[in-house]
Amino acid sequence: MVSPPSGGSDDAGLSDGSGSSGPRAFTSRRPVMLLTRVEKFSAAHRLNSDKMTPEQNSDFFGPCQNIHGHNYKLEVTVKGKVREDTGAIVNCRDLKQFIHDAVIKNVDHKNLDEDVAFFKTCPSTTENLALYIWLQLEQVIPAGLLHEIKIFETDKNVVTFRGEFDE
């Protein structure tokens, strides 16, 4: 058992000064936390680059140059201060709706190469899919909250994007 700090308080020194027992809810310092929403979608694609010859495409993409599909798992993480009034960073129902409206309805049970305009100009790699999802969500999630996109193409292939671009 961990002993309370000197002073004998049972609240491990987290008194709010009101004389009440128990940890303080909020002070001038609000906790910053991460919240992750997990969604799934299925989509088909074919890995091919117009910037490469057929031989280069075959060498680089191998059998993935043929049309195939994945059951993707998407993790969207927001980061922010926990609001004192709600005790939450964001409303989870809103986050779910943002993801559905900006991403899922555009990619679920679609051929990414044919049905999503973004992939008309770039290969539908998981890296580019992560970028597409970030750009879509950046438009609907309140500014400064979007922290990370993680896409599981398979159990072994995972792409993470945090909105960083080279200079």
Side-chain angles (χ1 to χ4, degrees):
M1 178 175 186
V2 177
S3 301
S6 59
S9 170
D10 289 336
D11 65 7
L14 297 179
S15 171
D16 63 5
S18 67
S20 66
S21 62
R24 65 178 174 231
F26 287 91
T27 65
S28 59
R29 293 178 53 206
R30 294 193 341 227
V32 174
M33 295 189 185
L34 303 174
L35 170 69
T36 301
R37 173 76 187 182
V38 178
E39 295 288 344
K40 293 184 178 181
F41 64 92
S42 299
H45 72 144
R46 174 179 177 258
L47 294 178
N48 186 70
S49 173
D50 293 340
K51 296 179 171 79
M52 294 169 31
T53 67
E55 294 78 22
Q56 290 171 323
N57 273 297
S58 183
D59 288 345
F60 190 82
F61 295 119
C64 294
Q65 193 179 13
N66 299 315
I67 192 160
H68 62 284
H70 297 282
N71 294 314
Y72 293 94
K73 180 172 109 174
L74 169 64
E75 295 181 1
V76 176
T77 301
V78 294
K79 178 180 179 181
K81 293 179 184 175
V82 175
R83 291 176 40 177
E84 186 173 2
D85 58 343
T86 65
I89 301 166
V90 296
N91 183 312
C92 288
R93 184 180 59 238
D94 292 345
L95 182 58
K96 176 183 175 183
Q97 196 66 50
F98 292 150
I99 296 167
H100 180 268
D101 291 349
V103 178
I104 303 299
K105 75 175 187 181
N106 298 322
V107 297
D108 192 30
H109 288 85
K110 303 286 173 104
N111 180 326
L112 298 176
D113 304 312
E114 295 178 10
D115 300 328
V116 181
F118 183 85
F119 296 108
K120 301 272 187 215
T121 59
C122 65
S124 55
T125 61
T126 308
E127 293 89 340
N128 282 333
L129 182 57
L131 175 60
Y132 167 76
I133 291 170
W134 180 277
L135 295 172
Q136 294 298 109
L137 289 174
E138 192 174 49
Q139 297 176 45
V140 296
I141 292 178
L145 289 181
L146 187 56
H147 177 70
E148 180 179 275
I149 299 297
K150 188 177 283 189
I151 303 176
F152 294 74
E153 179 184 61
T154 68
D155 291 341
K156 296 179 179 183
N157 295 333
V158 182
V159 171
T160 302
F161 184 59
R162 294 189 177 134
E164 297 174 28
F165 294 86
D166 67 356
E167 298 297 322

